[in-house]
């Protein structure tokens, strides 16, 4: 532990940075240790749209709603934060009405939907440009005298009197025997031909396969997606072409847009998000395994971590 640090947060993805900001703004002196810089984490590969997906916990909805409140505030300054309240359509066959949190929900008429879809809802939720957003969180942390060190950690309990573990899939090495597992996701970044609403295909299946979503982010548009259990992280030209074809069927404006990037990320999927003190080392608080919803749950989980630390009980608060 660096002299003058109250808490070490391990991980600089969305979970780690959000916890670090919450803790620093509560008056703790925070050091973030991370093997990767924020912009090379899985978090940076996300689309990212608010809505829990491939994530399991009985409190997931309340964490998502807590985050939604924060994202709505951040959307007041989209240029600084990368968060933008965005209208769009979720479509499929017999799509259930969206749950709490979606704003302005309206049932779409069949003629408003792309070919092949028979039911859909229009609503508004936050879309988050992760490159900009992770930069914004970093700035907010540094502004509260938090520190970020890019260095790998091998032993969590040894890091100090208070440690928060936000290592996503990295928990496999740090918490031996943990059931966390990777689920691959592909995302293509294209020049935006003028799309300003999102499209997501309703998808209740958790098995392997492709789905379709189109998320506008200013002059870029994010196309997805895929879900394949396993470690395989190379770019696959067939997956790329399939995603392009599916998205262009849903949004014909995309045909011919230049592909800028093909991102592959491994979602940290677990039977249940792990949040709480370690059984053996209670000074280590875990916060990992957010699957396909880590951005969506981030502020709710950070509030939970803050409460678990007793904010200040272990520490010398800055005056
Ligand atoms: C293609 C794709 C699309 C997605 N879309 C969405 C979406 O629309 N909405 C949504 O809410 N979520 C989405 N997700 C899911 C979301 O990205 C993840 O749930 C989230 O990024 C998990 O964040 P994290 O901070 O827990 O983990 P990560 O972002 O993986 O960060 C883990 C951190 O821990 C560090 N670390 C690991 N091991 C060690 C170690 N031994 N020592 C030091 N540091 C270590 C890493 O360097 C990294 O900084 C998507 C994911 C993918 C792949």
């Amino acid at each position: 532990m660096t002299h003058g640090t109250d808490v070490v947060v391990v991980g600089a993805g969305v979970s780690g940075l959000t916890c670090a900001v919450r803790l620093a703004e509560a008056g703790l002196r925070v050091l973030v240790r991370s093997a990767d810089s924020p912009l090379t984490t899985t978090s940076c590969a996300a689309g990212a749209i608010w809505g829990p997906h491939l994530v399991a916990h009985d409190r997931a909805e309340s964490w998502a709603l807590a985050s939604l409140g924060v994202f709505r505030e951040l959307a007041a300054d989209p240029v600084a934060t990368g968060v933008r309240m965005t209208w769009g359509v979720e479509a499929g066959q017999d799509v259930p009405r969206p749950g709490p949190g979606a704003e302005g929900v309206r049932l779409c008429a069949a003629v408003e939907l792309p070919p092949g879809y028979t039911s859909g809802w229009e609503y508004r939720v936050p879309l988050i440009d992760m490159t900009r957003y992770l930069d914004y969180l970093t700035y907010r942390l540094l502004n509260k005298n938090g520190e970020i060190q890019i260095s790998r950690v091998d032993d969590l309990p040894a890091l100090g009197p208070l440690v928060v573990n936000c290592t996503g899939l990295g928990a496999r090495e740090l918490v031996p025997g943990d059931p966390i597992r990777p689920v691959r996701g592909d995302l293509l970044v294209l020049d935006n031909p003028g799309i300003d609403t999102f499209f997501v295909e309703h998808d209740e299946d958790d098995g392997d396969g492709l789905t379709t979503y189109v998320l506008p982010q200013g002059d870029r548009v994010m196309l997805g997606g895929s879900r394949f259990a396993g470690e395989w992280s190379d770019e696959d030209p067939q997956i790329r072409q399939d995603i392009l074809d599916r998205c262009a069927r849903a949004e014909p404006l995309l045909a011919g847009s230049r592909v800028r990037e093909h991102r592959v990320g491994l979602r940290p999927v677990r039977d249940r998000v792990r949040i709480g003190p370690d059984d053996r080392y209670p000074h280590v608080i875990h916060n990992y395994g957010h699957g396909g919803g880590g951005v969506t749950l981030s502020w709710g989980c950070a509030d939970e971590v803050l409460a678990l630390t007793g904010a200040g009980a272990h520490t010398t608060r800055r005056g």
Side-chain angles (χ1 to χ4, degrees):
M1 160 103 56
T2 304
H3 179 69
T5 296
D6 296 321
V7 51
V8 179
V9 175
V10 187
V14 72
S15 306
L17 288 180
T18 312
C19 285
V21 166
R22 269 290 184 258
L23 294 164
E25 292 182 352
L28 308 196
R29 291 167 299 186
V30 180
L31 170 66
V32 174
R33 295 262 313 259
S34 175
D36 302 285
S37 77
L39 299 188
T40 54
T41 58
T42 298
S43 298
C44 201
I49 188 166
W50 179 90
H53 174 66
L54 266 182
V55 59
H57 199 287
D58 44 9
R59 298 185 55 206
E61 184 175 295
S62 75
W63 291 329
L65 290 172
S67 303
L68 178 63
V70 180
F71 287 133
R72 279 193 181 126
E73 286 169 20
L74 297 179
D77 190 352
V79 175
T81 65
V83 182
R84 199 175 294 271
M85 297 301 295
T86 307
W87 288 99
V89 167
E90 177 180 357
Q93 323 298 328
D94 298 321
V95 182
R97 188 184 170 88
E103 289 177 3
V105 174
R106 178 182 72 84
L107 183 64
C108 296
V111 290
E112 296 177 86
L113 302 173
Y117 297 95
T118 58
S119 130
W121 299 88
E122 183 189 53
Y123 54 83
R124 192 165 86 133
V125 285
L127 269 194
I128 299 125
D129 171 345
M130 290 307 292
T131 308
R132 191 165 294 202
Y133 182 58
L134 293 172
D135 262 350
Y136 162 78
L137 290 177
T138 301
Y139 167 80
R140 201 162 140 179
L141 175 66
L142 300 182
N143 204 33
K144 280 286 167 190
N145 297 322
E147 266 185 76
I148 302 182
Q149 253 179 36
I150 305 301
S151 61
R152 198 174 178 78
V153 164
D154 297 314
D155 184 2
L156 290 171
L159 289 176
L162 185 56
V163 179
V164 180
N165 173 22
C166 300
T167 51
L169 212 49
R172 282 184 302 185
E173 280 88 49
L174 292 167
V175 186
D178 194 87
I180 194 161
R181 60 188 189 279
V183 173
R184 173 196 173 105
D186 290 75
L187 188 116
L188 306 180
V189 184
L190 270 66
D191 288 343
N192 188 346
I195 297 164
D196 59 7
T197 56
F198 67 79
F199 175 83
V200 292
E201 184 174 79
H202 179 71
D203 179 23
E204 281 179 0
D205 189 1
D206 280 356
D208 282 4
L210 295 173
T211 181
T212 305
Y213 60 81
V214 177
L215 309 174
Q217 304 274 14
D219 67 346
R220 298 167 306 152
V221 58
M222 312 291 169
L223 270 48
S226 70
R227 187 179 48 226
F228 293 104
E231 192 72 49
W232 158 59
S233 60
D234 299 336
E235 290 175 21
D236 180 316
Q238 189 57 52
I239 291 180
R240 173 185 165 129
Q241 193 55 49
D242 289 348
I243 291 175
L244 284 170
D245 293 345
R246 291 169 70 105
C247 290
R249 271 198 299 277
E251 178 47 271
L253 270 180
L254 286 167
S257 272
R258 181 174 67 101
V259 180
R260 294 190 188 184
E261 209 184 320
H262 181 168
R263 296 182 189 168
V264 178
L266 299 175
R267 300 177 184 92
V269 172
R270 209 171 176 275
D271 298 341
R272 199 166 189 267
V273 175
R274 185 169 191 194
I275 187 158
D278 187 82
D279 302 333
R280 242 178 109 195
Y281 305 102
H283 69 290
V284 176
I285 295 168
H286 297 294
N287 177 27
Y288 64 87
H290 304 87
V295 183
T296 304
L297 304 187
S298 54
W299 288 100
C301 290
D303 288 340
E304 182 94 16
V305 166
L306 178 64
L308 285 164
T309 64
H314 304 256
T315 61
T316 317
R317 277 171 171 267
R318 279 195 299 263

